């Protein structure tokens, strides 16, 4: 009867296999992977630096910018309003102090380490004080495009020193690790084709292991959401919990169509709440028209990123317009109607320009755009992660101004173990940057629940 037992073993193994993404391996350095010798696994302190030459070059380019006059009454409907752009550039040229912002960026400890042939940059912030007998939870937070590790600067102190900021009774304390996605900011760009979110997930697991962590929490929005979700699908045993402020669902199918059609009339029948209905309908407008209007960049970046990218890499003004336009409408869709795109209602120009400068000084806009091509050029239904559920404890923070709303009942198709699902009272796509306290509270609420399981 050995064929039967062999088949049983095979069946058990194949069942196990279905549930995770293959870890695989990769090499992203230039040229062939070296045959002999192990990778240098050292973790090296890193400091952001600038120079007179870098700042003079920036100023010269800012002074020589050409502008197209904007259409009367256009506000942000055609993209970044050029009159307001001139104000932003004047501030950038005459008041913005990059040296001072470099000091701000360096207030946390930065490091680099080489993984799969490329240098990975990250910040690692430990709590300054841990009450006796309290466990510190490691938390990996991953940014997206066109953001950076800097998006987390306001939320880090809330997570590492909660008691100081009147958050909770201090029963949950984190040490926070924020890496830069390869090709973004101070993480080296891959030199080979095919670097997608699954490769990133593997590299970030290797990073956490290198830092000595066996189990950790993950948090992300935008690409960070896709990367951390892939991490949970790849090594669920290493992920204590996954907290997301945006979720991607690629499976559509007949069930979803029926749910959308009935949801407008009998939402309770298909598991939609009142809040879901408000955020999802009118469906065509909110999920198709608004999304098409906001995703032109995506089509370019998923097909020919290097063409548009070379202009952005050469012109700081073009780069700022391209990046900051997202911080307008992705923060609040109604900002489209404002002449200044509502940019300064939620952020300061110093904060916004610091994020732009991270792309500018590292010359990383093209490599950051390529991440779209590597991830989107395949049929989404055929990718390894599309067929794998997420079984780790999951927390979802649904912000009302996010680009798309995913009701809990739809999220359950992929996320099989949702512990918390919160309708956030305000805030949009850049949650950690815009509403750090709301996001921090939700992360803590989620982790507290997971720790009690």
């Amino acid at each position: 009867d050995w064929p039967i037992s062999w088949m049983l073993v095979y069946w058990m193994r194949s069942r196990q296999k279905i549930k995770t993404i293959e870890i695989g391996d990769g090499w992203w350095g230039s040229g062939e992977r070296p045959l002999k010798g192990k990778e240098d696994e050292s973790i090296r302190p890193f400091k952001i630096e600038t120079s007179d030459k870098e700042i003079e070059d920036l100023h010269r380019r800012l002074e020589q910018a050409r502008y197209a006059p904007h259409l009367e009454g256009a506000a942000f409907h055609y993209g970044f309003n050029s009159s307001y752009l001139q104000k932003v550039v004047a501030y950038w040229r005459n008041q913005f102090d990059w040296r001072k912002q470099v000091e701000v960026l360096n207030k946390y400890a930065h490091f680099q380490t080489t993984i799969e042939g490329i240098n990975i940059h990250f910040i690692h912030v430990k709590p300054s004080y841990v009450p006796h007998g309290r466990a510190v939870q490691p938390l990996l937070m991953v940014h997206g495009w066109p953001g950076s590790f800097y998006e987390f600067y306001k939320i880090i102190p809330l997570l590492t020193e909660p008691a100081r900021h009147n958050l909770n009774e201090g029963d949950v304390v984190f040490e926070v690790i924020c890496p830069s996605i390869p090709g973004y900011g101070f993480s080296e760009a891959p030199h080979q084709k095919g670097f997608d979110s699954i490769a990133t997930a593997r590299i970030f697991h290797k990073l956490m292991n290198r830092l000595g962590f066996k189990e950790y929490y993950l948090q992300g929005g935008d690409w960070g959401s896709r990367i951390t979700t892939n991490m949970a699908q790849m090594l669920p045993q290493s992920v204590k919990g996954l907290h997301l402020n945006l979720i991607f669902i690629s499976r559509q199918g007949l069930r979803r169509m029926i749910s959308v059609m009935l949801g407008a009339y009998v939402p309770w029948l298909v598991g939609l709440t009142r809040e879901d209905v408000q955020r999802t309908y009118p469906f065509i407008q909110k999920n198709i028209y608004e999304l098409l209007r906001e995703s032109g960049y995506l089509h370019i970046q998923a097909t020919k990123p290097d063409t548009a990218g070379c202009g952005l890499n050469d012109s700081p003004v073009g780069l700022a317009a391209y990046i900051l336009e997202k911080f307008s409408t992705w923060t609040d869709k109604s900002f489209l109607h404002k002449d200044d795109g509502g940019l300064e209602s939620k952020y300061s120009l110093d904060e916004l320009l610091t994020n732009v400068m991270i792309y500018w000084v590292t010359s990383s806009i093209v490599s950051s755009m390529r991440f779209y091509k590597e991830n989107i050029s395949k049929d989404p239904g055929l990718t390894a992660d599309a067929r794998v559920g997420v079984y780790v404890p999951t927390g979802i923070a649904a912000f009302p101004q996010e680009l798309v709303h995913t009701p809990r009942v739809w999220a359950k198709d992929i996320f099989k173990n949702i512990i918390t699902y919160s309708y956030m009272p305000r805030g949009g796509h850049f949650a950690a940057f815009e509403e750090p306290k709301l996001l921090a509270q939700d992360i803590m609420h989620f982790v507290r629940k997971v720790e009690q399981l």
Side-chain angles (χ1 to χ4, degrees), residues 352-405:
L352 292 167
L353 289 169
T354 297
N355 182 60
V356 172
M357 284 296 286
I358 290 168
Y359 283 85
W360 176 254
V361 301
T362 57
S363 221
S364 61
I365 189 65
V366 177
S367 49
S368 78
M369 289 161 75
R370 283 180 192 146
F371 202 55
Y372 285 77
K373 184 168 176 70
E374 305 296 14
N375 282 297
I376 299 174
S377 55
K378 313 169 189 78
D379 176 345
L382 298 176
T383 55
D385 54 336
R387 298 187 300 277
V388 176
V390 177
Y391 295 89
V392 306
T394 303
I396 297 165
F399 284 84
Q401 289 290 335
E402 187 50 272
L403 295 166
V404 280
H405 174 65

Side-chain angles (χ1 to χ4, degrees), residues 64-115:
Q64 291 181 346
R66 298 193 310 174
Y67 300 90
H70 70 96
L71 292 169
E72 289 174 22
F76 262 57
H77 285 276
Y78 286 71
F80 208 107
N81 182 299
S82 61
S83 292
Y84 178 60
L85 182 60
Q86 291 178 60
K87 289 183 189 161
V88 172
V89 172
Y91 180 88
W92 197 0
R93 169 63 184 86
N94 302 314
Q95 283 159 278
F96 177 77
D97 185 347
W98 177 232
R99 286 188 190 282
K100 191 177 124 209
Q101 293 309 118
V102 165
E103 278 177 36
V104 170
L105 290 173
N106 281 326
K107 80 171 174 185
Y108 294 128
H110 292 249
F111 302 91
Q112 274 189 342
T113 187
T114 310
I115 304 178

